[in-house]
Amino acid sequence: MANKKIALVTGGNKGIGFEIVRGLLQAGCRVYLGAREAAKGQQAVAELAAEGDVLFLEVDLNNPATLAAAAAHLQREEGYLDILVNNAGINVAGDGSPATADVRSVEQVLQTNFVGTLAVTQAFLSLVKQAAAGRIVNVSSPLGSLTIVGQNDWALLGYSASKAALNMLTVQLAYELRNTGIKVNSAAPGYTATDLNGFAGTDTPAQGAAEAIRLALLPADGPTGTASSSAGVLPW
């Protein structure tokens, strides 16, 4: 038990997050499954109980009180956090092209996907610093790449901007922590079938989770400050 890595996965009750939790459990980690709704989080924990050491933790990106309470709980129970996977995120109706996107919808997506993820990262960063070799993984998207979006007709301004901002968090935090053992990277799942896209994706959630799991378990000589998918490094 003492040798287990301690992990927290936000938005872990469904989709890619659920499969990230499963993968980390199979790797021998003790995983705190973060979710904003207790009933759904507890149900997911029950479904994964046979896979390993999994516990529920209330984490709502837009509710600072839950972040403070969760961090305090982990400090009491564990004293450190080896792995933080920032997976939780939203896509909302009303997002669209720069000419048509509803401004409030764009604001809502940015608030959750970027500002909320920043709040989570700040809430748990001191715990990651107390680990022997912390890992922070931000679940991003190819839609967060300026290069890729500039070559495709992907008109989701708010979602794309939120993931581009998340990539900026990755590179700035990686640089800030460059003299520590902590590695910070962005993982792009690819076009995964989840409720975020009405299950229209071509990849399974397990496939979508693979890169985040790999980055969460990076060895000491692994990269930091990168964005990648299972196919390799992505352009900014």
Side-chain angles (χ1 to χ4, degrees), residues 9-13 33-38 40-41 56-60:
V9 180
T10 68
N13 60 289
L33 186 155
R36 62 185 176 88
E37 296 182 42
K40 292 181 178 179
F56 168 69
L57 201 58
E58 183 182 1
V59 177
D60 183 341

Side-chain angles (χ1 to χ4, degrees), residues 9 14-21 23 85-87 137-142 159 186-194 197 201-216 228-231 234:
V9 180
K14 61 181 180 178
I16 292 171
F18 185 87
E19 294 299 333
I20 294 172
V21 173
V85 181
N86 285 314
N87 166 75
V137 181
N138 296 321
V139 177
S140 185
S141 168
Y159 187 81
S186 286
Y191 194 34
T192 305
T194 68
N197 56 36
T202 54
D203 295 342
T204 67
Q207 290 172 320
E211 185 64 4
I213 295 167
R214 184 186 74 84
L215 292 172
S228 59
S229 70
S230 293
L234 294 175

Side-chain angles (χ1 to χ4, degrees), residues 124-201:
F124 294 100
L125 186 56
S126 64
L127 282 157
V128 178
K129 288 180 176 179
Q130 292 173 65
R135 302 289 181 263
I136 299 175
V137 181
N138 296 321
V139 177
S140 185
S141 168
L143 274 75
S145 164
L146 302 182
T147 300
I148 294 174
V149 172
Q151 299 170 351
N152 292 274
D153 184 22
W154 290 341
L156 284 173
L157 179 62
Y159 187 81
S160 295
S162 74
K163 294 303 185 178
L166 196 62
N167 288 342
M168 183 61 74
L169 171 61
T170 292
V171 296
Q172 289 205 12
L173 186 59
Y175 187 82
E176 184 175 352
L177 299 173
R178 66 194 181 281
N179 294 322
T180 74
I182 300 172
K183 298 183 184 298
V184 188
N185 291 285
S186 286
Y191 194 34
T192 305
T194 68
D195 61 357
L196 201 69
N197 56 36
F199 300 96

